[in-house]
Amino acid sequence: DQQVKQNSPSLSVQEGRISILNCDYTNSMFDYFLWYKKYPAEGPTFLISISSIKDKNEDGRFTVFLNKSAKHLSLHIVPSQPGDSAVYFCAASSPNFGNEKLTFGTGTRLTIIP
Amino acid sequence: NAGVTQTPKFQVLKTGQSMTLQCAQDMNHEYMSWYRQDPGMGLRLIHYSVGAGITDQGEVPNGYNVSRSTTEDFPLRLLSAAPSQTSVYFCASSRTGNLNTEAFFGQGTRLTVV
C-alpha cells in the first residue's frame, strides 16, 4: 500500500516556465514532508521541506505548498532551468520519527526543454 | 568533508552468496538508514538506526541484517543473495531531534544478483 503517491512518472516543461510536481499521501499521521532531487548515478539530495503547521515554504526558485485537508503537496519551480532535469521524490515522516524513517513516493522525472 | 560514503559502488553476486555493503558518515549523525530503490517503487526503507547499538526494521527487512557498533558505520549484510535483491541501495544519515533537518544520502551501491 503506497502511502505517498506521485501519480505522474514524468513531466516535460519548457525552460523558463513553471514546473509543478504533485504528491498525495494517505497517512494522516504524516507531519513533515520533504522533496529530494536525484540525478542519475548519484544519491538523492535534499531540496526543500515543509512542516504540517505551515501551508507554504519558499527557498529561491522552489516553493512547496501543503494542503492538509486534501492530503496533497506540490513543488513549484520557477523559472525552470535545464539543470533542474532530474527525478524528484516526495517523502514524508510521522511524529516520533525523524529522518531515519522516511516514506518515499515513486518519483517524477522532470525534463526541462531548452 | 566526505559526508556519507558507500562501498562498493557496483557489485555482482551469485545467488546464495553473502556480502556486506559498507556505509560510513563523518558528520557525527545519530540517525542512519538503508533504502533500496527499484523501478516504479521509489525508495523503500530496509533498516534504520537511531544510535550506536540500536537498530530496527523498516518496510522491507527480510534477507538483510544490520548492526551499529559505532556512530560512524552502519553496514548492511545480505545473508544469502537472491535475484529479488537486485537493486540500487542507498545509505542515509541525519541529526536527531529537530525536524527541520534533512537526511544526507550516499552515492549508492548498484547490486546485481545472478
Side-chain angles (χ1 to χ4, degrees), chain A residues 32 36 43 46 99-100 102 105-106, chain B residues 31 33 35 40 94 99 101 103 106:
Chain A
Y32 189 62
Y36 278 83
F46 172 76
N99 286 299
E100 81 279 15
L102 295 173
T106 52
Chain B
Y31 290 174
S33 310
Y35 294 86
S94 60
L99 279 181
T101 61

Side-chain angles (χ1 to χ4, degrees), chain B residues 9-85:
Chain B
K9 286 188 170 51
F10 302 94
Q11 183 71 49
V12 178
L13 285 180
K14 293 183 178 178
T15 297
Q17 285 185 315
S18 62
M19 80 159 293
T20 299
L21 279 63
Q22 301 292 344
C23 176
Q25 52 92 8
D26 61 1
M27 297 174 282
N28 201 31
H29 285 169
E30 289 296 316
Y31 290 174
M32 295 187 76
S33 310
W34 276 102
Y35 294 86
R36 58 178 288 174
Q37 183 193 7
D38 302 292
M41 303 290 289
L43 282 81
R44 292 182 293 169
L45 182 65
I46 304 171
H47 285 284
Y48 65 97
S49 169
V50 298
I54 306 169
T55 64
D56 208 343
Q57 297 181 350
E59 182 185 354
V60 287
N62 292 339
Y64 307 94
N65 271 358
V66 291
S67 59
R68 185 93 181 272
S69 56
T70 67
T71 299
E72 294 78 20
D73 300 298
F74 191 42
L76 178 72
R77 296 184 189 85
L78 280 70
L79 310 172
S80 177
S84 61
Q85 293 178 304

Side-chain angles (χ1 to χ4, degrees), chain A residues 92-103:
Chain A
S93 67
S94 46
N96 302 323
F97 293 101
N99 286 299
E100 81 279 15
K101 200 174 179 185
L102 295 173
T103 301

Side-chain angles (χ1 to χ4, degrees), chain A residues 16-70:
Chain A
R17 306 293 291 266
I18 183 171
S19 296
I20 300 176
L21 293 89
N22 293 304
C23 178
D24 297 292
Y25 61 96
T26 58
N27 187 343
S28 58
M29 295 298 292
F30 287 146
D31 66 348
Y32 189 62
F33 304 90
L34 308 92
W35 284 94
Y36 278 83
K37 176 180 179 179
K38 186 182 180 306
Y39 293 119
E42 293 186 11
T45 55
F46 172 76
L47 196 55
I48 192 169
S49 63
I50 188 167
S51 165
S52 60
I53 62 174
K54 294 185 176 181
D55 54 18
K56 178 182 174 181
N57 189 28
E58 279 184 87
D59 185 2
R61 296 186 298 115
F62 303 92
T63 303
V64 57
F65 295 92
L66 175 62
N67 182 334
K68 283 179 62 180
S69 60

